[in-house]
Amino acid sequence: MSEILHVMGAPADEATAADLFNAPLRRVRRGQVLFHEGAPAEAIYVVRFGGFKTLRVAADGYEQVLAFSAPGDVIGFDALAAGKHPTMSVALEDSGVHALPLGGLDALRQRLRAFDHALQIAISRQLARTADVAELMAAVAAEVRLARFLVQLSARMAERGLSARRLRLTMSRRDIASYMGVAHETVSRSLGALIGMGCVEVHNRDIEILDPARLRECASCTRGASDEGSTHAPRLHVASAGVPAAE
Amino acid sequence: MSEILHVMGAPADEATAADLFNAPLRRVRRGQVLFHEGAPAEAIYVVRFGGFKTLRVAADGYEQVLAFSAPGDVIGFDALAAGKHPTMSVALEDSGVHALPLGGLDALRQRLRAFDHALQIAISRQLARTADVAELMAAVAAEVRLARFLVQLSARMAERGLSARRLRLTMSRRDIASYMGVAHETVSRSLGALIGMGCVEVHNRDIEILDPARLRECASCTRGASDEGSTHAPRLHVASAGVPAAE
DNA sequence: CGAGGAGTTGAGGCTAGTCAAGGCCCGTGG
DNA sequence: CCACGGGCCTTGACTAGCCTCAACTCCTCG
């Protein structure tokens, strides 16, 4: 359990007590399903190593990827509300997770305050990522979406102390396309565009960010960005809905 | 506090004890900001009545709406992770919220188990809504997006015991457009298309769902949908440009 | 070494964004 | 109470970018 706390980013102070609760490591091989859509909620999962994609399958078979999870992330918490999983999760590579049965979750949270805190933080972080998803799928050019995706990925790598410049994509282009809300051919083409701009270098699923600044600039553009100087025209009719608080 | 539990959907069993913690009702007028983007995380908010939009403002001024909140929803939980709000919230109408200071949140959760449960459920529900957002912004026709938006809105109305057929939109078309990831003109046009299909009737911000089944069918289509027959043969590839006069 | 999926690239049609103009609703002030 | 103004909403024309279909190559894995 102390390992769970550690991977979740919590101080391992209460580690000794933590070990009283032993959640075994469950291995999930690449392509294997962690839980199916509609399955009864039995546990939440803390990713120890590897990675997962969480998705929903539409009636017509279309796969909508909702999130990619990395070590330290919590998966399956969204099943609490309805009692069953609204989504399914699949391992993108050989992975390991700690399954925390819902039955004992409350007791665990009450007795292990450090774990409770770590869980709240993890969930909060996940909630904040909704903004990232929306940012990605917002009405902007496809290259911009891809640039944002890479920036986000890079940032999350950095968070975990890994290289922010060298990314290894564990997911397929199709997964990325679904996540970004575009056709998978568009991902290829957009990647080509970023390569042409000198932002990145791509070898299969290995991506190297050559020019982080330019990539970020491209990601921040609301419109199609093939700008090469530093001349970005920020003019835009700001929807002035928000009214400053006045009392 | 018993009122907070009630609006969150929890049993008010512990209501008596709950009243020991009194969170005053804070009124927020239409257009007023509940909290700004980047503001330090000081509390989470439970909507008592009214409604809010949560959004993020890009560097160029573009407003990306991330969520609409109704009574019973929790706002601001995503600020826990970073210690400051990654988003801002604005009241869509005259509203009332209970502010629960973060300082006392832990103690509150520990002493009031019912509240703790309700909070976890509310957060879980909110997480599950990420899927709804993605579903909305997925790569599908604009009419389908709008249909999905209305279906979701209708479902959420029904959850709270209100009419699922008559919707009063508290947000502007621009807000909806941002939320769906399309231009605001497209919302108008899509609304016109749904009217032409006989799905809905619109008077300003009042929407009546005339044919829920057809609306749902339209919402489930991955492509443009203008099916009119009784047997729902999954027709792909429909030219929905000018909806024929039909009747 | 072969098969099949993954990825890339090309051509064309159509949706939706953009720019533009006008009508409508609502809040404001006289 | 009414007139005014500014926003919201709608509609139209045009264009660009993305999706679709299709062919082909490359990598991976059995």
Side-chain angles (χ1 to χ4, degrees), chain B residues 84-162:
Chain B
K84 58 181 184 178
H85 291 282
T87 58
M88 81 182 275
S89 274
V90 182
L92 291 169
E93 52 190 320
D94 292 347
S95 308
V97 299
H98 292 286
L100 304 175
L102 292 186
L105 192 59
D106 253 32
L108 194 57
R109 283 174 40 221
Q110 266 191 286
R111 297 181 58 174
L112 262 179
R113 301 307 299 162
F115 167 72
D116 183 62
H117 272 105
L119 182 59
Q120 303 300 313
I121 295 295
I123 297 301
S124 173
R125 200 186 317 130
Q126 206 173 328
L127 262 185
R129 277 187 200 149
T130 301
D132 295 337
V133 174
E135 186 179 283
L136 225 82
M137 316 224 323
V140 296
E143 307 156 24
V144 179
R145 295 191 191 194
L146 185 61
R148 289 181 182 181
F149 175 72
L150 293 178
V151 167
Q152 288 174 18
L153 218 58
S154 172
R156 284 175 65 175
M157 291 286 283
E159 272 177 21
R160 303 209 315 284
L162 301 174

Side-chain angles (χ1 to χ4, degrees), chain A residues 56 58-60 62 64-66 77-82 86-87 106-107 109-110 113 116-117 119-121 123-139 145 148 180-183 220-223 234-247, chain B residues 29-33 36 53 56 58-66 77-82 86-88 90 106-107 109-110 113 116-117 119-121 123-139 145 148 172 174-175 180-183 220-223:
Chain A
R56 230 159 88 166
D60 61 1
Y62 178 76
Q64 175 63 53
V65 174
L66 302 165
F77 194 86
D78 55 354
L80 255 74
T87 58
D106 254 32
R109 282 174 41 221
Q110 267 191 286
R113 301 308 297 163
D116 184 62
H117 270 105
L119 181 60
Q120 303 301 314
I121 296 294
I123 297 301
S124 173
R125 200 185 318 129
Q126 205 173 329
L127 262 185
R129 278 187 200 149
T130 301
D132 295 337
V133 174
E135 186 179 284
L136 227 83
M137 317 226 321
R145 295 191 192 195
R148 289 180 183 182
M180 300 200 323
V182 298
S220 69
C221 282
T222 303
R223 297 219 13 186
R235 87 280 186 270
L236 186 57
H237 36 274
V238 178
S240 58
V243 178
E247 292 173 79
Chain B
R29 259 192 283 265
R30 178 174 177 231
Q32 251 188 326
V33 175
H36 283 91
K53 65 174 175 180
R56 229 156 89 165
D60 59 3
Y62 177 76
E63 290 190 2
Q64 175 63 54
V65 174
L66 302 166
F77 195 86
D78 56 354
L80 255 73
T87 58
M88 81 182 275
V90 182
D106 253 32
R109 283 174 40 221
Q110 266 191 286
R113 301 307 299 162
D116 183 62
H117 272 105
L119 182 59
Q120 303 300 313
I121 295 295
I123 297 301
S124 173
R125 200 186 317 130
Q126 206 173 328
L127 262 185
R129 277 187 200 149
T130 301
D132 295 337
V133 174
E135 186 179 283
L136 225 82
M137 316 224 323
R145 295 191 191 194
R148 289 181 182 181
S172 73
R174 236 187 199 84
D175 292 333
M180 300 200 323
V182 299
S220 67
C221 282
T222 303
R223 299 270 205 294

Side-chain angles (χ1 to χ4, degrees), chain A residues 7 15 26 29 33 35 48 188 210-211 214 237:
Chain A
V7 77
R26 173 172 156 193
R29 258 193 282 266
V33 174
F35 52 79
R48 180 76 180 286
S188 277
L210 297 176
D211 191 339
R214 176 171 299 194
H237 36 274

